[in-house]
Amino acid sequence: MDWRDRADYQAAILEDVEVRVRCGLHPWEQHPERPNRLLVSVEMFTAAAFDASGARAYLDYDRVREEILRWPSLDHTPLLEDLLARLTDFVFRDPLVEATRVRIKKPDIFSETRAAGVEWFRRRPA
């Protein structure tokens, strides 16, 4: 069953957060002075309307944005999947997040396409 098939859910969304990161396998991506421009999108899902204290639940996208904006300080990362794993683990630190969709695109990697990238949809591990 797709997450969106649920009757009720709440989502917090960050779309195309732009950040420059040293990443990639191609030789031209290995130069430390020329990081790749990435567009990072995150959706976080919960069925919770209220948190454990009874207050209205909300998914905090500010902390996720701040995490993404730290990426330029990372060492070179060969695979976008490593960044997906890092961000997915970070998103699940919020106990309200039951599922997440994370997408990373390189808009400047190939001239004949608008972008190339990867996406994960993950449910909270049991």
Side-chain angles (χ1 to χ4, degrees):
M1 178 172 95
D2 186 276
W3 180 263
R4 294 181 192 270
D5 291 336
R6 289 187 68 134
D8 296 316
Y9 70 89
Q10 177 180 177
I13 301 165
L14 285 171
E15 190 169 325
D16 291 340
V17 177
E18 186 172 322
V19 65
R20 295 194 180 271
V21 178
R22 293 182 309 274
C23 64
L25 293 173
H26 297 291
W28 65 85
E29 297 178 295
Q30 305 292 322
H31 194 284
E33 300 303 317
R34 283 185 259 143
N36 277 303
R37 182 168 68 108
L38 303 181
L39 300 175
V40 183
S41 297
V42 179
E43 296 174 73
M44 298 176 288
F45 302 96
T46 186
F50 299 94
D51 67 16
S53 71
R56 177 164 298 286
Y58 75 97
L59 298 169
D60 186 1
Y61 52 71
D62 283 337
R63 69 183 195 85
V64 177
R65 180 185 154 273
E66 290 168 2
E67 174 65 16
I68 295 166
L69 294 178
R70 283 192 272 274
W71 287 5
S73 66
L74 296 175
D75 291 336
H76 183 89
T77 303
L79 299 173
L80 292 179
E81 288 83 354
D82 294 332
L83 294 172
L84 282 176
R86 178 188 180 95
L87 191 54
T88 300
D89 290 346
F90 183 83
V91 165
F92 281 126
R93 289 183 194 168
D94 181 339
L96 288 176
V97 175
E98 296 175 41
T100 188
R101 182 183 322 276
V102 180
R103 177 184 307 116
I104 303 174
K105 298 184 293 188
K106 294 179 182 179
D108 307 318
I109 192 71
F110 301 123
S111 61
E112 69 279 358
T113 185
R114 189 170 24 169
V118 293
E119 176 181 283
W120 281 0
F121 177 83
R122 295 282 192 262
R123 295 181 191 279
R124 178 176 290 283

